[in-house]
Every structure is written in structure tokens, then in C-alpha cells.
Amino acid sequence: MIFPGDLKVSNFSKPNLAMTFVTLNILVFVIANVLFQTWPQKNNMQDFQVKSFNQSLAKMYVQTLDPTEKKNYAQMTSNQLSQLAIKDQRFWARASYFPFKGDAVQIRQLKIILADLKSQYQDSVQYQFGLGQRHTSPWAWVTYQFTHYSFMHLLSNLIFIFLIISYLETKVAATWIALVYVLGGIGGGAGFLFLSLNEDLSVIGASGSVCALLGFLLVVKKNQTMPWTYLLAPIPGGYGRIYLPAFLIFPIYLLTDFSALLLEPQGIVSTIAHSAHVGGTLTGLSLGVLYLMQSFFRGKAASHGIFSNNDGLDELF
């Protein structure tokens, strides 16, 4: 496993911006999971994974769709349709009154499960802190960036956050990095809302912000070499460092999201919000261009004596 950035043990023991963002993400994750439950609950998912229930749920879902939706979803399997049903709040509401045709016993059981699923979702971390099409709030644009589904979801993002910010803060002002993280998260949220119109549930996670940091780093470093950290390697300590061009960030990490968005534009089956990743990436790339422009004009101004060379401004990479 290889990640852009430099893993230095010393960075864990001193206050810095990377540790600040890592701590904020951990703190919000702990508080959110103490106050609210994770969603969906395992018992509900085990019910849906029963093959007969899965097929019945798919049939029920199709009955509630309009003709256009039925046409669009005609080639989907029962498993894919049931996954859509689980994520569609419109279906949850319709299930309580719709005159379904089929096995009456299973329909009644599934109605109970769906009602429970809806109740649990409204008391979940995802609903309370997330950003979504049907439920959102002004603060959700920020809170969703620091909230995660699970510990593994949190850990994977923290690795990127720590490595990239630790490296960037030796080169770029902390204000710029903080702006990239927050505005990248907002851009990721906008990408999710505008590009995943059929995604009914709220999104949470720092992935949009991480992609913004990756895009920003890609622009400011371009084809220059930079440190990359490889983890879980068969060497003493389990990690090491190599130097590679920054442009490899795009094919290794960012290209996947753009490709997935084109192949599955509505994010129907995937649990990864590729649209949020793309929104964050585009924001990070744009901020990277602004950073280079600012550095260029400040350099021009300094050369003409408008600014002194000791004004505390960061130099270009």
C-alpha cells in the first residue's frame, strides 16, 4: 500500500495541523457514535440477505416505480434492486400504504422491517451529521466532513489526512491547507448533491476533503518528485519511503473516481460516494491553480519592491 506524503514518527509527538485534523476527526467520530447509532443495524441487513426476502423486496420495489424508472432498472438483478430499495426513503414511505401484490406474509414482514429501518436511520449518525438530498442543514456541509461510518472508514481517511497535511504544512501556509480541507469538503458535498441525484441517503466522511488535498498537491507539485510512504511492507517497522513524481496521484487515486462516475453515474450499487470524490478533487485542483497564481503575482510584486522578501509569505514549491 502506497500513499503520497512522508510518514515521520516525530510528527505524532508535536502539535501540528495534521494532528489537529486527525484529532478533530477522531473526536467527532467518538461523540457521534456515543450520541447516535450506526446504520443500518446488522439484524435488519441479515433479514434482507435472506434470499426469499431479497427477491420479495425487489418485486415490491419495482411495483412502486414509475414507468421511466422501471425501464431504467429493467436490467438490474434482484440483489441490485433490493439494495436500491434499502436506500430509497420514498419507498420506505410508500411501503406503509402501497397495495403490493405477492406473498402476503412476506410483504407484511418486510413492511415491519422497513418501518424499523426508517426509524433507525432517523436516529443514526448518517442522518444527524450527514449531507443529503432529502435531509440536510447548513452545518451539515461541515459536520459530514468529520463524520465516518465505521472505524475502518475513519482509519483509511486519517492515513491520507496525516500524511498529506504533514507534508504540505512544510511547504504551504496552514491557512491554505485548512481552506483546501474545508472548501474541498463543501465541493465534495456539492458534487454529491448534483451528480448523485438518485442517491437518497446522506453522505458522511472526509473523502471529499482528502480528494481535495490530493488534487491540490497534484497541481502545486505537478511533475516534481515528492516522498511517498508505503505501509504493510515486509521490512523492519513495516513501512518505508520512496520518491516518485506527484502526477502519479491522478492514475493511482483520482482516475478511479472519474471512471466510476462515468460508468455508474447515479452510484446505484456502490457504497462509495464517487461523486463526492470528484467534487472534492475539482475543488482541490481549482484551489491549487489559485495558489500558484497567488504565488506568481506575489513573486512579481516582491521583485518590484511592493512586498519585502521577509513578509512571512510561503514560497512556491
Side-chain angles (χ1 to χ4, degrees), residues 167 221 223-228 243-246:
Y167 176 66
K221 287 295 286 184
N223 61 344
Q224 299 177 48
T225 58
M226 58 170 286
W228 291 64
Y243 286 85
L244 296 170

Side-chain angles (χ1 to χ4, degrees), residues 48 56-57 59-65 85-86 88-101 104 106-118:
F48 286 129
S56 295
L57 183 64
K59 292 177 181 177
M60 289 171 62
Y61 185 58
V62 170
Q63 291 178 45
T64 65
L65 299 177
I86 293 171
D88 194 335
Q89 295 183 65
R90 299 172 305 164
F91 175 64
W92 300 352
R94 294 170 183 170
S96 62
Y97 63 82
F98 194 89
F100 294 107
K101 298 178 181 179
Q106 285 200 346
I107 289 173
R108 184 165 57 251
Q109 289 175 309
L110 283 170
K111 282 186 175 183
I112 294 172
I113 295 172
L114 287 168
D116 188 32
L117 195 71
K118 177 181 178 181

Side-chain angles (χ1 to χ4, degrees), residues 4 17-18 21 25 157-169 172 174 176-185 206-221 226 249 254 277 279-285 287-288 317:
L17 188 63
F21 275 101
N25 275 275
N157 279 333
L158 289 186
I159 293 173
F160 283 99
I161 290 170
F162 179 78
L163 288 174
I164 298 173
I165 294 182
S166 292
Y167 176 66
L168 276 176
E169 65 182 321
V172 182
W176 265 104
I177 301 172
L179 280 175
V180 172
Y181 185 101
V182 176
L183 294 182
S207 300
S209 300
V210 168
C211 288
L213 290 169
L214 288 169
F216 181 81
L217 180 57
L218 172 62
V219 170
V220 296
K221 287 295 286 184
M226 58 170 286
I249 289 172
L254 304 178
H277 293 189
T281 298
L282 294 177
T283 303
L285 294 173
L287 290 171
F317 276 31

Side-chain angles (χ1 to χ4, degrees), residues 29-44:
F29 176 78
V30 171
I31 293 174
N33 281 273
V34 167
L35 295 177
F36 303 100
Q37 62 186 3
T38 56
W39 185 92
Q41 295 294 301
K42 290 183 178 180
N43 60 324
N44 276 337

Side-chain angles (χ1 to χ4, degrees), residues 70-204:
K70 287 182 180 180
K71 183 178 179 181
N72 291 338
Y73 301 159
Q75 303 301 318
M76 287 190 177
T77 65
S78 294
N79 183 59
Q80 291 173 327
L81 287 169
S82 66
Q83 289 298 313
L84 272 179
I86 293 171
K87 297 163 61 177
D88 194 335
Q89 295 183 65
R90 299 172 305 164
F91 175 64
W92 300 352
R94 294 170 183 170
S96 62
Y97 63 82
F98 194 89
F100 294 107
K101 298 178 181 179
D103 188 322
V105 174
Q106 285 200 346
I107 289 173
R108 184 165 57 251
Q109 289 175 309
L110 283 170
K111 282 186 175 183
I112 294 172
I113 295 172
L114 287 168
D116 188 32
L117 195 71
K118 177 181 178 181
S119 175
Q120 290 179 3
Y121 177 67
Q122 292 176 344
D123 191 39
S124 70
V125 172
Q126 187 173 351
Y127 183 85
Q128 298 294 334
F129 287 78
L131 181 69
Q133 302 281 357
R134 298 184 179 277
H135 169 76
T136 191
S137 60
W139 52 85
W141 288 89
V142 176
T143 58
Y144 101 90
Q145 303 178 30
F146 295 91
T147 314
H148 293 80
Y149 292 101
S150 64
F151 176 74
M152 290 307 299
H153 184 210
L154 171 69
L155 180 62
S156 62
N157 279 333
L158 289 186
I159 293 173
F160 283 99
I161 290 170
F162 179 78
L163 288 174
I164 298 173
I165 294 182
S166 292
Y167 176 66
L168 276 176
E169 65 182 321
T170 65
K171 309 290 183 180
V172 182
T175 303
W176 265 104
I177 301 172
L179 280 175
V180 172
Y181 185 101
V182 176
L183 294 182
I186 293 174
F192 175 78
L193 294 181
F194 287 110
L195 298 177
S196 297
L197 299 178
N198 282 358
E199 181 59 64
D200 205 47
L201 304 182
S202 299
V203 65
I204 55 176

Side-chain angles (χ1 to χ4, degrees), residues 11 41 113 262 289 310 312-314:
N11 285 337
Q41 295 294 301
I113 295 172
L262 291 174
V289 171
N310 297 315
L313 298 173
D314 289 305

